[in-house]
Amino acid sequence: MRKIILYSLGVIILVLAVYVAYLLVSAEEEKRPVARREIKTVFVDTVVNRTIPIVIPANGNLVAKERVEIFSEVQGIFRSSSHSFKPGQAFRKGEVLLRIDADEYAASVQSAKSNLYNLITAAMPDLRLDYPEVYPKWQAYLNGFDLEKSTPDLPEITSEKERYFISGRNIVTTYYNVKNLERRLSKYVIRAPFNGVLTEALVTEGSLIRPSQKLGEFINPKIYELQVAVNKSYSEFLKVGEEVALENLEGTQQFRGKVARINAAVNQESQTVSIFIDVKDDRVKEGMYLEASIEGRNEENAFEISRKLLNDQKELFVVRDSVLDVLEVKPVFFSDKTAILKGIEDGTVILSRPVPGAYAGMVVRAYRDTTSLASASEINPVP
């Protein structure tokens, strides 16, 4: 009886196993979904060659074109000035910037002038006897000699005998010594070389000033100079007299400048050429940072695109019959964001925005890009 039961259970289990296997085999298998071919939509633009002005960007800080660093050549006490010797103080041309105490030195100059006067006076009797023809001009010189004024030039010597006589009395040597002392005496007063403003003052009244000591800086606030560095490959586009558009760092103020000079030497380290731009505007100050847009030559029959659209091999993606292709191009100028190309035929459809993973032969759906550099039409599918 036990064997019959066991055999029966075995048969039942076997039948159930066969039935379950049948159900599993006969069940409908899930079909794998067919992958759909995805076509990317890309923004494109149509090439229309035109004349494009080349604008070279540059930047730098303004510096006064007329600028003087004030140094002392003599020693003494700073006594006075025409105005307060402080930064920001304006002076007119010829006004006294600094007056250094020169009483002691002025006395030595007067002594030397008196010695010259005595030498000429002592020679007058001999001149009257030996050279009566030149006596009147030397007498006139003595009559016009004033110890309180600058020493007048010696009378013109017209003969060799007169020259030997005057030189033998040591008059010529003494005269030039006096002129040298007077010249040095003038250095105790420093005057403004032009209308300007004191931007730096390193001494105050009562200070002891020593030779070669820097006293301050003086500038003309009416004209400034902007020095910018331009890549040497762009220097051929520039010329003296070209107008330059300028703006401040925030972009809130615009100015105009003019190319004044172009350095003929190339900086060996940076391979750039220095361009100097004159700026005349009451709103600018020394040290202001300005960005310049220098207009170079006009490039004929060219097209401008974003630099992001070019690959390392200077190739550009074009769209031909809804398929991407690669076109080798000839860039003639690069700015920070754009590139100017030549050699592309009018009507060529190009990508106007980069497409990640793009490759030649890729099927795309093209739409016109209104935000591109050259197109301003409505967004419509390219036929």
Side-chain angles (χ1 to χ4, degrees), residues 39-46 319 349-353 364-370 372 375 377-383:
I39 300 177
K40 281 192 176 183
T41 299
V42 296
F43 289 95
V44 299
D45 193 11
T46 302
V319 180
V349 180
I350 65 172
L351 293 184
S352 61
R353 301 186 188 181
V364 296
R365 181 182 294 107
Y367 272 81
R368 186 73 57 189
D369 188 0
T370 58
S372 67
S375 176
S377 59
E378 296 181 356
I379 298 180
N380 291 315
V382 175

Side-chain angles (χ1 to χ4, degrees), residues 87-102:
Q89 179 62 54
F91 289 83
R92 298 190 63 82
K93 182 178 180 179
E95 290 185 330
V96 177
L97 292 173
L98 299 99
R99 180 176 281 108
I100 302 172
D101 184 15

Side-chain angles (χ1 to χ4, degrees), residues 96-323:
V96 177
L97 292 173
L98 299 99
R99 180 176 281 108
I100 302 172
D101 184 15
D103 292 344
E104 183 178 350
Y105 192 82
S108 64
V109 174
Q110 291 297 93
S111 175
K113 291 169 67 176
S114 177
N115 185 36
L116 173 63
Y117 184 85
N118 293 336
L119 287 175
I120 298 175
T121 301
M124 292 303 291
D126 292 334
L127 280 174
R128 173 179 286 184
L129 294 175
D130 299 334
Y131 308 99
E133 68 278 5
V134 300
Y135 174 81
K137 67 179 179 183
W138 284 97
Q139 183 61 50
Y141 180 79
L142 282 180
N143 294 337
F145 199 101
D146 189 345
L147 292 178
E148 301 301 326
K149 297 180 181 180
S150 177
T151 304
D153 294 338
L154 290 176
E156 183 180 359
I157 299 176
T158 56
S159 66
E160 289 296 323
K161 291 181 179 181
E162 181 186 3
R163 185 184 305 278
Y164 293 150
F165 178 82
I166 296 299
S167 299
R169 296 300 181 96
N170 205 31
I171 293 176
V172 175
T173 302
T174 305
Y175 166 78
Y176 283 111
N177 287 338
V178 170
K179 297 301 288 185
N180 184 49
L181 293 174
E182 287 182 336
R183 180 63 179 170
R184 187 163 184 81
L185 180 62
S186 67
K187 299 181 184 298
Y188 282 83
V189 178
I190 302 176
R191 299 182 181 273
F194 45 78
N195 295 341
V197 175
L198 196 66
T199 59
E200 184 180 21
L202 303 178
V203 293
T204 57
E205 291 188 16
S207 301
L208 174 62
I209 296 175
R210 295 179 175 83
S212 302
Q213 178 181 349
K214 185 177 180 180
L215 309 177
E217 290 186 1
F218 187 74
I219 69 167
N220 181 356
K222 297 298 182 182
I223 180 168
Y224 293 90
E225 192 172 68
L226 180 69
Q227 180 180 352
V228 297
V230 176
N231 191 292
K232 66 179 181 62
S233 59
Y234 302 155
S235 61
E236 61 181 288
F237 301 145
L238 306 174
K239 59 182 179 180
V240 175
E242 194 76 29
E243 285 201 352
V244 180
L246 306 168
E247 66 176 6
N248 60 356
L249 187 60
E250 297 78 15
T252 57
Q253 291 180 311
Q254 284 73 39
F255 313 98
R256 300 296 297 180
K258 184 177 291 185
V259 176
R261 306 190 310 281
I262 301 176
N263 198 339
V266 177
N267 187 304
Q268 295 183 359
E269 296 180 358
S270 60
Q271 289 298 293
T272 58
V273 176
S274 295
I275 309 296
F276 299 89
I277 304 169
D278 284 351
V279 184
K280 296 180 180 180
D281 198 300
D282 294 337
R283 296 173 295 169
V284 299
K285 303 290 183 184
E286 186 174 62
M288 281 183 64
Y289 179 87
L290 296 182
E291 295 181 344
S293 299
I294 306 173
E295 296 181 3
R297 71 184 184 193
N298 292 332
E299 194 65 45
E300 304 288 341
N301 199 29
F303 189 72
E304 188 174 16
I305 64 168
S306 171
R307 292 187 61 166
K308 297 179 181 178
L309 299 177
L310 289 176
N311 60 20
D312 296 338
Q313 288 74 38
K314 296 181 181 180
E315 295 174 335
L316 180 67
F317 280 109
V318 298
V319 180
R320 295 192 176 112
D321 299 328
S322 299
V323 177

